[in-house]
Amino acid sequence: MSSDRRIGTETSATRAALVAATEEIMLEDGYAAVTSRRVAARAGLKAQLVHYYFRTMDDLFLALHRTRVEQGLERQAQALAADQPLWALWDTSRDPRGTALTMEFIALANHRKVIRAEIASSAERFRAAQLEGLEVVLERYGVDPDDWTPIVCTVLMSSISRFLVMEFETLGMSSGHAETVAFVERYIRKVEGERRCPAQ
Amino acid sequence: MSSDRRIGTETSATRAALVAATEEIMLEDGYAAVTSRRVAARAGLKAQLVHYYFRTMDDLFLALHRTRVEQGLERQAQALAADQPLWALWDTSRDPRGTALTMEFIALANHRKVIRAEIASSAERFRAAQLEGLEVVLERYGVDPDDWTPIVCTVLMSSISRFLVMEFETLGMSSGHAETVAFVERYIRKVEGERRCPAQ
DNA sequence: GCCAATGCTGTGCGCCTGCTTAGCATCGGG
DNA sequence: CCCGATGCTAAGCAGGCGCACAGCATTGGC
């Protein structure tokens, strides 16, 4: 039986180091570069430890994904509760690390069907939470819901920020980026006024 | 020496079949699923043929990429020259196959540094060509360049369409998509009038 | 002081990978 | 009629992969 294989504790520092190494490799070389031997080497550990703490490589990916989703949801909630929610949301969604990792996970989802469901459901959670927050915010600002509905704001902000980050981080492209950022921020300024918090 | 290795003709039908198989595998299972043996099996051929027609797997990817870039640039030029360029552009940029493949190539670019330059340069070519076309179109329509500059239109359209396709094709997500599409199309209608050509 | 739980490792199996080499059949130009 | 070019293939090599299993220390509860 392989079901009685011993698995290390979830609170182990070694385990956390392996997860951290996985994230670094994904960001630097893409998900396909994540192998048990490379992850361990990156963390200065033996390769077997990967299989001691994670039954399969998919479990490793999922562990990383879950921690990042939790952090991301928390950050998003903070942004929505901030003094200037629109600016804060725009800033967090433009975070390069988070977006690059998300893109890698989406690419991974196309290769590992097992992981797809998890990623899709977390994406839905992000969207739902952001929607809920934006509904309150936009109503408070008195935005005409026939013009800018909260759901459209959510999708637009996600797509634009993620696309820009992806082009810049992965391809090194930046043509039209400054203009597009300025365009979006003009709209934010119109609704929420001049930015008072510093850009992250 | 390995430099005198024989390589098959570029016009070979077998070669084209291998490229086609590569595209199918990328779309179905992601770029990481592309291996010489799988590509050959998909095309009903022997694995060694992949190495007969392509010196390395990177060459295979580049061959596929180049043919798709050429077709894409041509399609984009046709759209820009169409009766209703904005509608046509919006339609072509929402093509699922093209976008999904592009996303896979971008993910691949993060893993294979050699390929990154090629992909980035083609992305720049697409953007430059679209910009050039849109400048003419928007001026013809009398769009206020202080409001919607051509470069912003280009970036916005690419990011929104690509993001929607990615979410839907890869993750099966669709929440907020219909509303966002309607939102964009309202703007297009405002500038270019009711769609006269059928949606692709 | 024992004993189970826990962290870690040495060894290795079976599989898949990219790529090579040597050689076979076919075919069109001289 | 030959000879080089071309399409294709059988066989295999070196290396990386996920993962398993047995066993070694260390540690903390009893």
Side-chain angles (χ1 to χ4, degrees), chain B residues 31-32 53 57-58 63 72 82 94 106 108 132 143 145 154 156 175 197:
Chain B
Y31 74 85
Y53 283 103
M57 292 303 285
D58 280 2
R94 266 158 48 79
I106 289 174
L108 177 63
E132 203 177 335
V143 173
T154 301
L156 284 184
S175 47
C197 51

Side-chain angles (χ1 to χ4, degrees), chain B residues 6-69:
Chain B
R6 272 201 289 145
I7 295 289
T9 321
E10 283 211 13
T11 56
S12 153
T14 303
R15 195 189 120 113
L18 291 170
V19 172
T22 301
E23 179 174 15
E24 289 172 23
I25 294 173
M26 278 182 88
L27 287 173
E28 282 172 30
D29 300 315
Y31 74 85
V34 174
T35 69
S36 55
R37 285 160 175 84
R38 253 197 282 256
V39 167
R42 178 91 191 200
L45 298 166
K46 306 278 182 177
Q48 307 96 297
L49 277 177
V50 174
H51 303 290
Y52 173 64
Y53 283 103
F54 306 94
R55 252 166 20 88
T56 65
M57 292 303 285
D58 280 2
D59 282 0
L60 211 205
F61 282 120
L62 287 176
L64 167 60
H65 187 253
R66 286 201 189 106
T67 69
R68 284 286 164 242
V69 165

Side-chain angles (χ1 to χ4, degrees), chain B residues 110-131:
Chain B
N110 199 27
H111 187 48
R112 313 266 198 130
K113 313 291 181 190
V114 191
I115 294 183
R116 175 187 295 191
E118 183 96 4
I119 293 173
S121 95
S122 78
E124 292 276 14
R125 284 173 67 197
F126 268 98
R127 176 141 310 156
Q130 195 176 118
L131 176 60

Side-chain angles (χ1 to χ4, degrees), chain A residues 99-100 103 159-177 180, chain B residues 102-103 106 116 119-120 122-124 126-127 151 154-156 158-159 162:
Chain A
T99 297
M103 296 306 303
S159 39
I160 296 167
S161 58
R162 214 159 275 179
F163 186 77
L164 293 186
V165 171
M166 189 198 66
E167 273 199 346
F168 185 70
E169 293 293 313
T170 305
L171 299 182
M173 262 183 86
S174 64
S175 47
H177 286 205
T180 307
Chain B
T102 303
M103 297 305 304
I106 289 174
R116 175 187 295 191
I119 293 173
S122 78
E124 292 276 14
F126 268 98
R127 176 141 310 156
I151 183 72
T154 301
V155 176
L156 284 184
S158 314
S159 40
R162 214 160 275 179

Side-chain angles (χ1 to χ4, degrees), chain A residues 29-56:
Chain A
D29 299 315
Y31 74 85
V34 174
T35 69
S36 55
R37 285 161 175 83
R38 253 196 284 253
V39 167
R42 178 90 190 200
L45 299 166
K46 305 278 181 176
Q48 307 95 299
L49 279 176
V50 174
H51 302 290
Y52 173 65
Y53 283 104
F54 306 95
R55 254 167 17 87
T56 64

Side-chain angles (χ1 to χ4, degrees), chain B residues 134-169:
Chain B
L134 271 185
E135 276 168 353
V136 178
V137 170
L138 293 188
E139 203 194 327
R140 193 202 312 154
Y141 287 142
V143 173
D144 179 9
D146 279 349
D147 196 20
W148 291 86
T149 61
I151 183 72
V152 168
C153 284
T154 301
V155 176
L156 284 184
M157 239 162 74
S158 314
S159 40
I160 296 167
S161 59
R162 214 160 275 179
F163 185 76
L164 293 186
V165 171
M166 190 198 65
E167 273 199 347
F168 185 70
E169 293 293 314

